[in-house]
Amino acid sequence: MAKFELKLPKMGESVAEATVTTWLKEVGDTIEMDDPVLEIATDKVDSEVPSEVEGVLVEKLFGIDDVVKVGQTIAIIETEGEDTSTVVSDEKNEITEEAPETVAIIEEQVAATTEAISISGDFSESSKFYSPLVKNIAATEGISLQELDSIPGTGKDNRITKNDILHYVKNRTSAKTTVQPITKSNVENQIEPPVPKKTETSATIPVASGEDEIIEMTRMGKLIAHHMVASVQTSAHVQSFIEADVTNMWNWRKKVKGEFMKREGENLTFTPIFMEAVAKAIRDFPMINISIDGDTIIKKKNINLGMAAALADGNLIVPVIKNADQLNLVGMTKAVNDLASRARNNALKPDDIQDGTYTVTNVGTFGSIMGTPIINQPQVAILALGAIRKVPAVIETPDGDFIGIRYKMFLSHSYDHRVVNGALGGQFVQRVKDYLEAFDIDREI
């Protein structure tokens, strides 16, 4: 008999770890090849980890809510025949012992575009084990090592859990710092700004009244929040806005959508038409299809379009259409509908959210006419599509100008001003507008 190490697969260039959410197999269960063994979650996707071999599950190295790094062994499967996989390390028990206890937050790794944001506080000198989450909370709340060591723990081997430290923070009163107010007199009398002085005061802890509802952020919500903050701290966001007349596109879709459904069995929405225009514009301006690695620019060969999709619980996910510029409108429609359907049903695979090079988000779905979207790292630009509105407009003709009813929408382009200047950012969104406005009303499907 041989033993096979089931490892956490790679799930995207900015994903370095995942949380175990559910074990689908128990120790002693027989596993077929490609059988899902467990479910994992990142800030981008919830997914199953399938088995690469046939055998029997003999050991689980992580529990529910434990955080696992990409490439780390999750489980041991006993197989028949010679061992062709990596030999199980004698240190596996050590891995189990050192695995962090329950952790509710996965810290998004944005190594390709920014340095990790370090949190003040060093607890390495302690003889006790503290999970990354506990250290994070302690550093944020200004808890010293001596103070942390004194907190009673209710976890395994008396370890401090998240609930232990949160309970302590809620009830503790300790010295906090305040900043001396800056008055007109001390500003006038000093060339340098006054140095903040520390004074002793009791800690101020926000307390909810009896009428307030306390809602815990979801795991994905916390991860998205961290990812958004990291993006703003990494990229110099600039926006360009432009209005497009999409009357031809609107009328063409209305004319052919019934026939399209009958022939292809697919609902023809506006999204694949937008994606087609964006892919064409990227081919015209390839320097919008890049990422940054330190002081180096990586020009992407493939055009992989992310389409931000809102889920029923309010969270956001960005499945990716690979090689979008190589798809015709039928292929683009099938790709868009497939990814949107699987996103709603929580059936996306890790590969579905990897390797995006440019993102499109449709804020018009919720009635917004424009927006200022945050760049999806490590990309350098994102396009927001506003709601299509029927508005009065000036129409120019050889016989003069007149007022008519047209279908119009705003395109909002956010880009990283470190590498995308205003000319490129503006020209790109102008080209998308040109493709939409020049849509052929007689186009064959």
Side-chain angles (χ1 to χ4, degrees), residues 286-350:
M287 286 306 293
I288 209 77
N289 198 48
I290 65 174
S291 63
I292 306 175
D293 183 7
D295 294 327
T296 303
I297 293 174
I298 302 172
K299 186 177 178 182
K300 301 293 186 178
K301 178 181 179 181
N302 298 326
I303 297 176
N304 299 334
L305 296 184
M307 43 176 260
L311 303 178
D313 60 2
N315 287 314
L316 192 71
I317 199 164
V318 186
V320 177
I321 304 169
K322 305 293 177 59
N323 298 309
D325 59 319
Q326 299 178 21
L327 299 175
N328 60 20
L329 189 57
V330 174
M332 186 76 78
T333 301
K334 291 181 181 293
V336 166
N337 290 350
D338 172 60
L339 290 173
S341 175
R342 289 195 286 122
R344 287 191 296 268
N345 293 301
N346 197 29
L348 291 173
K349 299 177 181 179

Side-chain angles (χ1 to χ4, degrees), residues 254-434:
K254 182 178 180 181
K255 180 177 68 173
V256 306
K257 64 180 181 179
E259 181 185 349
F260 191 92
M261 170 63 80
K262 182 178 180 180
R263 194 185 82 180
E264 301 293 338
E266 297 280 351
N267 182 31
L268 177 60
T269 66
F270 290 111
T271 300
I273 304 175
F274 293 137
M275 291 297 189
E276 181 184 56
V278 170
K280 288 180 180 179
I282 291 176
R283 292 180 67 177
D284 295 340
F285 296 96
M287 286 306 293
I288 209 77
N289 198 48
I290 65 174
S291 63
I292 306 175
D293 183 7
D295 294 327
T296 303
I297 293 174
I298 302 172
K299 186 177 178 182
K300 301 293 186 178
K301 178 181 179 181
N302 298 326
I303 297 176
N304 299 334
L305 296 184
M307 43 176 260
L311 303 178
D313 60 2
N315 287 314
L316 192 71
I317 199 164
V318 186
V320 177
I321 304 169
K322 305 293 177 59
N323 298 309
D325 59 319
Q326 299 178 21
L327 299 175
N328 60 20
L329 189 57
V330 174
M332 186 76 78
T333 301
K334 291 181 181 293
V336 166
N337 290 350
D338 172 60
L339 290 173
S341 175
R342 289 195 286 122
R344 287 191 296 268
N345 293 301
N346 197 29
L348 291 173
K349 299 177 181 179
D351 185 61
D352 294 327
I353 49 90
Q354 288 189 53
D355 304 324
T357 61
Y358 187 92
T359 298
V360 178
T361 180
N362 191 349
V363 299
T365 302
F366 311 104
S368 298
I369 61 172
M370 65 174 63
T372 55
I374 296 175
I375 297 168
N376 185 21
Q377 299 294 332
Q379 299 165 26
V380 299
I382 181 172
L383 182 68
L385 307 171
I388 299 176
R389 300 162 300 128
K390 189 160 60 172
V391 298
V394 175
I395 301 174
E396 299 178 359
T397 72
D399 298 324
D401 299 343
F402 65 94
I403 300 295
I405 303 299
R406 307 293 290 179
Y407 288 93
K408 290 195 172 188
M409 64 182 296
F410 283 101
L411 307 176
S412 308
H413 192 213
S414 290
Y415 45 94
D416 189 342
H417 211 27
R418 295 178 300 166
V419 289
V420 180
N421 59 31
L424 175 58
Q427 288 171 352
F428 174 81
V429 73
Q430 172 72 48
R431 186 61 53 86
V432 176
K433 163 192 165 79
D434 291 343

Side-chain angles (χ1 to χ4, degrees), residues 108-169:
E108 171 70 15
Q109 303 297 315
V110 200
T113 56
T114 182
E115 295 181 357
I117 303 170
S118 60
I119 300 175
S120 60
D122 181 11
F123 306 102
S124 59
E125 297 181 1
S126 175
S127 59
K128 296 183 178 181
F129 171 81
Y130 297 114
S131 71
L133 178 59
V134 169
K135 292 179 182 179
N136 193 323
I137 296 173
T140 302
E141 297 296 332
I143 297 175
S144 65
L145 174 60
Q146 182 179 5
E147 193 176 0
L148 184 62
D149 284 341
S150 68
I151 300 174
T154 60
K156 181 181 178 181
D157 298 328
N158 297 319
R159 289 178 180 174
I160 297 176
T161 67
K162 179 187 73 172
N163 291 334
D164 294 333
I165 193 167
L166 290 179
H167 179 75
Y168 176 78
V169 168

Side-chain angles (χ1 to χ4, degrees), residues 113-117 226-237 374 377 418:
T113 56
T114 182
E115 295 181 357
I117 303 170
H226 177 83
H227 190 54
M228 294 296 98
V229 171
S231 180
V232 171
Q233 293 174 338
T234 300
S235 296
H237 282 66
I374 296 175
Q377 299 294 332
R418 295 178 300 166

Side-chain angles (χ1 to χ4, degrees), residues 45-149:
V45 68
D46 292 351
S47 181
E48 297 174 342
V49 177
S51 174
E52 302 173 40
V53 297
E54 296 180 0
V56 176
L57 181 62
V58 295
E59 188 172 2
K60 298 189 293 187
L61 300 181
F62 291 90
I64 303 299
D65 291 329
D66 282 350
V67 176
V68 187
K69 295 188 180 298
V70 169
Q72 198 167 4
T73 302
I74 310 173
I76 307 298
I77 300 174
E78 191 172 65
T79 63
E80 295 183 358
E82 295 182 0
D83 188 1
T84 58
S85 66
T86 305
V87 178
V88 177
S89 169
D90 292 336
E91 296 176 350
K92 67 181 188 296
N93 291 330
E94 212 170 75
I95 294 176
T96 304
E97 179 65 23
E98 294 301 324
E101 60 191 69
T102 301
V103 179
I105 302 175
I106 303 174
E107 297 183 356
E108 171 70 15
Q109 303 297 315
V110 200
T113 56
T114 182
E115 295 181 357
I117 303 170
S118 60
I119 300 175
S120 60
D122 181 11
F123 306 102
S124 59
E125 297 181 1
S126 175
S127 59
K128 296 183 178 181
F129 171 81
Y130 297 114
S131 71
L133 178 59
V134 169
K135 292 179 182 179
N136 193 323
I137 296 173
T140 302
E141 297 296 332
I143 297 175
S144 65
L145 174 60
Q146 182 179 5
E147 193 176 0
L148 184 62
D149 284 341

